[in-house]
Amino acid sequence: MKFAALPLVVVSLALAGCATPETRLRTGLNNAGLSKAMSACMAERMVDRLSLVQLRRLSALGSLKDKRVTDLTLDQFFHKVRALKDPEILTVSTSSAALCALR
């Protein structure tokens, strides 16, 4: 009886490990204080333009997660992005934010 649930547990664990870079980035941007819609739009664009290493570096933006969304300004967001000292990340983030804000 105990072993009957084992395949379900294995499948659940396997699926949990399959989060795509886009999903991780979307969650990270949302945790950084961006709206769900803005996070989804930006992640969709950024995941195709940045390397996996660059996407991982963006996880540092999670340090903003204690701020309330209404307190987060784009200036604060881009200050954190600039602190990563990667011009490509800044360029892609800026263009993605601009295009997604116009949607």
Side-chain angles (χ1 to χ4, degrees):
M1 196 60 136
K2 289 182 183 179
F3 294 110
L6 187 59
L8 182 60
V9 171
V10 170
V11 169
S12 297
L13 290 174
L15 289 175
C18 292
T20 65
E22 183 176 345
T23 302
R24 289 179 186 171
L25 179 58
R26 182 177 58 241
T27 301
L29 291 171
N30 191 245
N31 287 343
L34 298 177
S35 71
K36 287 185 180 186
M38 181 67 109
S39 298
C41 178
M42 287 179 66
E44 182 181 344
R45 289 184 42 76
M46 293 169 72
V47 76
D48 293 331
R49 291 164 177 79
L50 297 174
S51 70
L52 287 176
V53 172
Q54 290 171 316
L55 294 172
R56 286 188 190 119
R57 292 191 65 214
L58 280 170
S59 67
L61 296 178
S63 64
L64 290 173
K65 68 181 175 184
D66 295 332
K67 289 190 171 282
R68 291 192 341 241
V69 174
T70 56
D71 294 339
L72 181 70
T73 65
L74 277 179
D75 185 51
Q76 291 170 319
F77 172 74
F78 287 120
H79 176 76
K80 285 290 190 180
V81 173
R82 280 190 300 273
L84 296 175
K85 297 184 180 184
D86 184 324
E88 188 174 14
I89 292 175
L90 180 61
T91 301
V92 171
S93 298
T94 304
S95 66
S96 295
L99 290 171
C100 291
L102 295 174
R103 279 190 176 179

